[in-house]
Amino acid sequence: MKTYQLIMGAVFLFILGACSKDLGNYDYQEINELTIKDINEEYTLRTGLDTLSINPKIAASMDGNDLTRYTYNWILRIDNKVFDTLSRAKDINYPVRLAPGEYAIFYRVLDKMTGVSWASNVKLKVVSPYSRGLLIMGEDPEGYAEAEMLSMQSDTIHVRHMLSRSGLPRLRGPLGMVHTGGSSAYVRLWAMTREGSYFLDRASMTATLDNHLGRYVFMSDIIDPKTLNPVVIAPQIRTATGDIGSTLYRALVTQRGDIFANVPLLMAGDFYNNPVNRVTAAPDELIPAAPYLLYPINGMNNVMWYDTRYQRFLNYTGIGLSTTSMVLADKDGEAFPWNQPAGRTLVYAENTRNTDGGSNNGNSFALMKDKDNTYHIYKFYANGTNPAKRDAYTVKSIATDFDKAEGYAFSSNRSIICYFVGSRLYAYDYNPGFEKIYTFPELGTDAITMIKFDTQIDHLTNSLYIASYKDQKGILRRFKVGNNPNIVELQLQDNSTWTDLIKVQSINWRAVN
């Protein structure tokens, strides 16, 4: 035991001696410590519109304000393998052109005197400015087709020159911008004009002349490919979140009046076979269709269309399977005929959210005209193999200048049809026995270019969009149409007037990329 104590004492004295000899061998020096301030952990920016602007404050413990002592690097990580230096300046002003997604940015500050670097990491979320808002199609001051968007995300941004900067040639005859919705694998964003229709990249809003329908049609019929331009596409977006009436089916009408329909899932894409604007009795005759597809907005399982050669409504069922359309039979005592009497033609048609007669998914309306300028309104449920006739109304002579109307819009919630002549807006209540005509001088004297009831964002509000034009500037306003059955009133809604637009011809809602 005594021996053990002697050994441990010797070890202790050795360690103590070693430590006492090492005192003063280390010369500790302070280094220049940096603190990087005024950088957020996360930034959310819109590609093609926003600029990443960061002006960091560098607080140093020793050098005062000598910023030349440092080098700077802003490094973007696109994925785990790809890195890109965005800037070598202290501050960054980087116009965002990245595809929508999430990225990492590393800010590195190197002290050249000490070789020590300091860092701050940033998460960059890039979103598309085009993913949510009102798509607008119209004319620019030179008469060319142009597209704009009221991008509605955290705030409303007016995005200009979308079509003229798309890479496509200048086009005339604007028809509309339509986002098809549905499965992301088959979504299309179409810019449609009378000189050609093309689908655009949904993130960059760019396109080439190869982005046309003809590349996706495989048919035995001989049709001029120059006419294969969609002018109507179904189904439409029906909710603020981007739902559509069918995720299974798609149909469209072309400039020539041909109708194509498909099931993208079965076709493994947005591909089409022979047009279906023909009947079984004469399968070789392609019948030109009016530029309307009629179907219940809330649930499309078939489409009705109007035959402009024989003046009749036809029904196409079995989308993706049937190759011809059905001729509909009329019965005595019905509200109106599918097959029109001599001299009666279609003027206008529209799908609505009206549910009269048990049409839960939405009635359709058609405006018909006789040779003597008598107008008729047809209301029907364009659903399934046996579409139902709901009612018919003859437009009374009190409807001022109805035969001169330049545009129409049917309300889903009221028995009214709005129309405009020049700068004058009218609302005609066709409720039998209570017909009335209303005018709205409070709208002013600017020429009206478009009217449209909302069936896409919030149809229960019964909003009417009115576009006007003066001095090469377009204005779009949203009004609420009251529900008092004794009067039609327009109530301008807050934060719903947009100015300095193109000459608006069409608006459509887009909710997703």
Side-chain angles (χ1 to χ4, degrees), residues 190 213 229-234 250-254 258-261 270 272 293:
W190 285 95
L213 180 66
N229 298 308
V231 296
V232 176
I233 298 174
R250 184 169 295 170
L252 56 87
V253 182
T254 66
D258 291 309
I259 299 176
F260 295 89
D270 200 20
Y272 300 87
L293 288 173

Side-chain angles (χ1 to χ4, degrees), residues 387-404:
K389 302 173 184 179
R390 295 303 187 209
D391 218 331
Y393 316 87
T394 298
V395 177
K396 303 296 184 182
S397 59
I398 61 172
T400 309
D401 289 339
F402 197 85
D403 61 327
K404 299 182 181 64

